[in-house]
Amino acid sequence: MIGDDEIQKQQGIIPYVLTGDKHYLDLRAFPDKIKLAVWEKQNHKCAICGKEFDYQFMEGDHFTPWRDGGRTTIENCQMLCRECNRRKGGK
Ligand SMILES: [Zn+2]
């Protein structure tokens, strides 16, 4: 028997088979391809504070948190500056 905490740490086909939750098929971290596209879409601005930042100072954030089943897709990605991401807390 694998507890929820144990499943949370995993990623891939096994937790997907165990839970039927497709978000386990995604990596938790957004790949650069998605982050760059969202960064362009947001006109290089942080989604929370609205200030402009260079790409390397921003981080990908899940709209629907990973722990709540949010997937690592472009639709579920917003780019935040490090400060806002840290203030938002764990995801
Ligand atoms: Zn910000």
Side-chain angles (χ1 to χ4, degrees):
M1 182 71 191
I2 296 180
D4 279 354
D5 286 351
E6 202 53 45
I7 291 172
Q8 291 282 343
K9 288 179 204 152
Q10 298 184 38
Q11 179 269 322
I13 191 74
I14 293 169
Y16 167 61
V17 169
L18 287 171
T19 63
D21 189 338
K22 280 188 179 163
H23 97 278
Y24 289 113
L25 296 176
D26 301 323
L27 290 169
R28 180 170 178 160
F30 287 105
D32 278 338
K33 198 173 75 173
I34 288 181
K35 290 196 289 185
L36 272 167
V38 174
W39 180 68
E40 289 289 347
K41 196 176 70 179
Q42 292 178 191
N43 294 316
H44 312 166
K45 287 174 185 155
C46 168
I48 290 182
C49 68
K51 289 183 213 153
E52 248 182 272
F53 290 92
D54 283 337
Y55 176 70
Q56 66 262 34
F57 297 117
M58 301 191 79
E59 294 167 349
D61 180 60
H62 292 76
F63 275 124
T64 303
W66 173 267
R67 61 162 182 264
D68 294 339
R71 297 198 64 185
T72 304
T73 58
I74 195 161
E75 294 80 16
N76 196 35
C77 179
Q78 61 181 346
M79 289 299 279
L80 304 179
C81 69
R82 284 177 189 167
E83 200 181 319
C84 287
N85 199 25
R86 203 171 311 127
R87 203 174 296 146
K88 198 183 162 197
K91 43 181 168 171

